[in-house]
């Protein structure tokens, strides 16, 4: 008796996803640093060689990790958050890989987890220095521009998140998954 058989072929689409979560492993943290260097040093030329500073010693990095079946996961977005004084938190170094910028939910997902995580940790005011070209996105996400400022020779806005639109997120290590579509 012949036991060889072929499975029926189906055209079931395989979904790609992005998990937005706190970068907890050494590998995830290093990948966020590499992405920041690629965006802020290589692409934008804001920093020479490296963008790390003293804030990195106590900031919480957040990663957007793209998963496609049969491929290695890839960090395609990052932001860091930190408390500058009790109740006052900042987000900074928001970066999305070039190939992931077409995925509109990566940047907004990073912002959601950043503000929600800080909110769960006692944030009363959440601020960011946002490059001027990104202000429209932040305004859509319920942020207010407080002032136009210059940061590293580039036009920015000091912006504040409306915490009423960002419920606390206690499980930042798990984060959440965005389903992006079929491969």
């Amino acid at each position: 008796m012949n036991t060889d058989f072929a499975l029926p072929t189906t055209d079931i689409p395989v979904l790609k996803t992005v998990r937005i979560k706190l970068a907890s492993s050494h590998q995830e943290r290093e990948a966020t640093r590499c992405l920041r260097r690629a965006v802020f040093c290589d692409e934008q030329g804001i920093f020479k060689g490296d963008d790390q500073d003293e804030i990195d010693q106590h900031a919480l990095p957040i990663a957007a990790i793209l998963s496609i079946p049969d491929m290695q996961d890839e960090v395609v977005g990052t932001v860091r958050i930190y408390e500058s004084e009790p109740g006052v938190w900042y987000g900074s170094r928001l970066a999305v890989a070039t190939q992931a910028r077409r995925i509109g939910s990566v940047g907004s997902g990073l912002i959601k987890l950043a503000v929600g995580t800080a909110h769960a940790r006692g944030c009363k005011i959440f601020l960011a220095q946002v490059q001027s070209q990104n202000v429209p996105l932040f305004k859509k996400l319920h942020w207010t521009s407080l002032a136009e400022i210059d940061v590293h020779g580039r036009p920015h806005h000091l912006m504040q998140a409306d915490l009423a639109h960002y419920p606390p997120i206690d499980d930042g290590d798990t984060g959440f998954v965005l389903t992006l579509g079929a491969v």
Side-chain angles (χ1 to χ4, degrees):
M1 179 169 156
N2 185 353
T3 58
D4 294 335
F5 61 92
L7 294 174
T9 59
T10 60
D11 291 326
I12 299 172
V14 178
L15 298 179
K16 55 186 173 181
T17 61
V18 173
R19 175 172 296 282
I20 311 286
K21 65 182 280 301
L22 291 172
S24 52
S25 72
H26 174 74
Q27 181 181 358
E28 289 170 349
R29 288 174 180 263
E30 185 57 33
T32 65
R33 285 192 288 273
C34 288
L35 177 57
R36 283 175 32 189
R37 277 192 298 275
V39 171
F40 297 116
C41 301
D42 302 339
E43 179 185 332
Q44 295 183 5
I46 296 173
F47 303 99
K48 291 188 186 257
D50 199 354
D51 74 317
Q52 285 190 282
D53 59 21
E54 64 282 347
I55 292 169
D56 286 309
Q57 296 173 18
H58 61 276
L60 297 172
I62 296 172
I65 304 168
L66 177 66
S67 295
I68 300 174
D70 300 324
M71 295 182 71
Q72 186 170 349
D73 287 354
E74 177 184 7
V75 171
V76 295
T78 188
V79 67
R80 66 181 182 180
I81 60 172
Y82 59 95
E83 188 173 28
S84 64
E85 60 185 82
V88 180
W89 284 72
Y90 277 84
S92 63
R93 300 295 204 274
L94 175 66
V96 177
T98 305
Q99 71 275 18
R101 291 180 190 156
R102 297 181 310 261
I103 307 169
S105 53
V106 172
S108 59
L110 287 162
I111 293 165
K112 175 183 173 184
L113 188 65
V115 180
T117 298
H119 199 177
R121 295 173 183 229
C123 176
K124 303 296 180 214
I125 298 171
F126 194 96
L127 303 166
Q129 297 173 339
V130 177
Q131 290 185 16
S132 292
Q133 71 267 18
N134 297 324
V135 168
L137 168 65
F138 280 76
K139 284 185 175 183
K140 285 181 190 175
L141 298 174
H142 305 283
W143 287 62
T144 302
S145 177
L146 303 176
E148 292 186 42
I149 57 175
D150 183 75
V151 180
H152 302 291
R154 306 271 173 120
H156 284 67
H157 286 238
L158 177 63
M159 298 191 78
Q160 182 174 346
D162 180 350
L163 292 178
H165 289 278
Y166 294 91
I169 298 175
D170 292 314
D171 59 347
D173 289 327
T174 302
F176 51 85
V177 174
L178 308 170
T179 301
L180 303 174
V183 175

